[in-house]
Amino acid sequence: MGSRAQCGRRSPQRVTEFVRPGQTVENWTELITWQTLNKAIDLSSVQDQFAAYQEDIMARCPGSTAEVIRELPDGILYEAHVVNCEQGSDEHILTRVLDGTWNRFLLQYAVRGAVVMTSERQTEWIDKLMTLQIFSLP
């Protein structure tokens, strides 16, 4: 998969996106997004951040849904169906949020267009997302 990273020198957020060869971040069918949020900017709680995301996509894209499918000691795993947006194709998204001491990490797997989130694909990606852990170095 190819990638594109976005961040400023002192940015509180870093975003890296990975797409299949031959695709771009504009025309992808499978997208992996890695976000790192610096907690020094006084982030809200994981639950409040998810609630704001949920409210935003439902307001911008009528009929969209987002629900937590697992609550974890270090964050959450959620699923979103983003539909009927003014811009962009419908998407099916799985996101793992890991809340560390200094940063919050979000790893997201999304499909759209010709690629569908089959139950097998969903199980595979939930398993992958559940293996993520934060390790603190001495």
Side-chain angles (χ1 to χ4, degrees):
M1 294 189 112
S3 70
R4 174 179 79 168
Q6 303 172 342
C7 67
R9 183 164 188 190
R10 298 179 188 264
S11 174
Q13 174 176 305
R14 179 182 177 98
V15 178
T16 305
E17 298 169 309
F18 301 90
V19 297
R20 292 276 179 200
Q23 297 183 3
T24 68
V25 292
E26 288 78 29
N27 75 355
W28 57 270
T29 58
E30 285 182 279
L31 176 71
I32 297 172
T33 304
W34 180 258
Q35 294 181 8
T36 304
L37 306 172
N38 185 330
K39 292 177 80 172
I41 62 166
D42 195 28
L43 294 176
S44 60
S45 71
V46 170
Q47 292 75 16
D48 287 346
Q49 181 181 359
F50 173 75
Y53 167 78
Q54 189 177 41
E55 183 179 317
D56 177 60
I57 66 160
M58 291 188 315
R60 286 185 303 107
C61 310
S64 294
T65 61
E67 68 178 69
V68 174
I69 54 178
R70 290 197 189 157
E71 292 196 34
L72 307 153
D74 61 352
I76 60 173
L77 175 70
Y78 68 85
E79 180 175 27
H81 296 268
V82 181
V83 298
N84 303 319
C85 289
E86 237 178 77
Q87 294 182 336
S89 301
D90 293 353
E91 301 175 11
H92 191 155
I93 304 164
L94 294 169
T95 304
R96 173 77 191 273
V97 180
L98 293 110
D99 201 32
T101 303
W102 307 108
N103 294 295
R104 181 172 298 152
F105 304 95
L106 290 84
L107 184 62
Q108 182 177 81
Y109 173 73
V111 296
R112 70 178 185 191
V115 178
V116 181
M117 186 75 75
T118 62
S119 60
E120 294 82 13
R121 184 185 307 264
Q122 182 178 27
T123 298
E124 173 189 355
W125 276 94
I126 287 173
D127 290 347
K128 288 178 180 182
L129 292 169
M130 291 304 295
T131 65
L132 298 174
Q133 296 179 34
I134 298 173
F135 291 99
S136 296
L137 299 175

